[in-house]
Amino acid sequence: MVITRRRAIVTGFASLGALIAVKYPKQLPPTYGSVLRMGDNLTYAAQRALLPGQSLVKEYTLADITPFPAVGTVKLPPNVVADWKLTVEGRVAKPQTFSVADLKRLPSRTQITRHTCEEGWTAIGQWTGVPLAALLDSVGMLPSARFVVFHTYDDGIDSIDMLDALHPQTILAYGMNGGDIPVQHGAPLRLRVEQQMGYKSLKFVQRIVVSDEFDDGGKKGPWQNGWAWYTGI
Amino acid sequence: MTNGPRHARWVRVTHAIATVSVLALVFSGFVILMAHPRLYWGNAGNDLTKPLIELPVSRNYKHGGWEGDARTYDIFNQNGWGRSLHFLAAWLFVIPGLLYAVFGLSEGHFRTNFWPGGRSHYGATQKHVYTIVVFIFAPLTVASGLGMSPAITAAWPFLLRVFGGYQTARTIHFVIFASFVIFVVVHVAMVARSGFVRQTRGMTW
């Protein structure tokens, strides 16, 4: 067979496609019949196939911290914040309920990162919390687990895959800029998923369900307003 | 109707896909801009910091609905489908664009039509403009777009470094968008002036 230049080019592109196909995530979010969701899935699969997993996002210095807009927030009575309980259940050996004080006894991580809102603005803040990996470890996550689902006080649901859940910078934060998290920023517990858009970093996290199966919360998840489930871009 | 000269088939196909994707990118990009029509320089910028410029392109323009750092104003935001359409169209831009670039180099298309002194009858300015659009605008718009991705810049931090920050990348992305729109308008006007039907047939079927 003569290897023409054109054939070499086509083969090159086909190999790239094959690489993405082979490294495609085993479980993809449902497309709900929407061509836009199919595009989202292509982006998700391509990023998972082509990017090295769990690279750290850039961390900033105290001097870089900026004012931080609070959007999509609810009013929370102070006693609700004070009596907060976090339940971790699902595919774990020891389902458990934690107070914020319990969580503060687990390993902690402090990071100064950029919050990237899908609207187009960015803000830099310092977050302190328990790495999600340490929390999942403390309840004995089962090896079959593939996704982590978050339920919030204001009835929101969203989930992330295990690569993002076990990312070193994915933390369940209880501190912001050196103090407790103010209510409008998600008191007392909010998720930080630094390698995705801001809306994946859910506020007011109350329940964590570890799952073997994909679960985006259906009508209570990002789909309700037509939002993509994976937002690494 | 007589059949004039045609562009090569790969040129016609990639041009058709580029037309669709650029229209979708410009439209969805504008919708995304409407959600936050403020541009900044550096890593961070938001309603609580000073913008370089604020564009009066949606009701979000200087809405002023803030109580401390909490937003009370119900903003215009169609980024759910806007962002997904933008990235779907971006795939349609990037993959055929790469094929176009590789074929263009290997088939001598750029040497003929773009480089000064190339064989084609295109004017010198026209050749320069095509070179700028294909070799500067297109790669820069993709790079600045990727520079806004948290996952991609985590893996490839140089994309953030070369632009000097997320908001700088976003502002550059906007400037290229505006330049691209001007190019498309002039390009179509020139096509119309030099025989719209003949030119369009030469680039289609």
Side-chain angles (χ1 to χ4, degrees), chain A residues 44 48 132-133 136 141 145-150 157-167 169-172 191-197 199-202 208-211 213-217 222 229-231:
Chain A
Y44 174 51
R48 284 290 178 261
L132 190 60
L136 295 175
M141 182 170 72
R146 291 290 173 272
F147 296 91
V148 181
V149 190
F150 302 88
I157 302 179
D158 205 346
S159 59
I160 54 178
D161 68 9
M162 206 45 79
L163 196 74
D164 278 346
L166 300 181
H167 188 285
Q169 289 166 320
T170 298
I171 64 174
L172 205 56
L191 184 65
R192 294 298 311 166
V193 183
E194 305 291 0
Q195 60 285 6
Q196 291 204 42
M197 284 291 135
Y199 71 81
K200 295 297 283 191
S201 292
L202 293 176
I208 295 178
V209 182
V210 178
S211 176
E213 302 294 330
F214 181 87
D215 176 9
D216 64 355
W229 173 79
Y230 179 74
T231 59

Side-chain angles (χ1 to χ4, degrees), chain B residues 68-88:
Chain B
D69 64 358
R71 189 169 67 204
T72 53
Y73 180 76
D74 182 25
I75 65 162
F76 169 88
N77 185 344
Q78 293 294 322
N79 284 358
W81 61 263
R83 283 170 47 83
S84 293
L85 177 59
H86 202 68
F87 303 136
L88 182 63

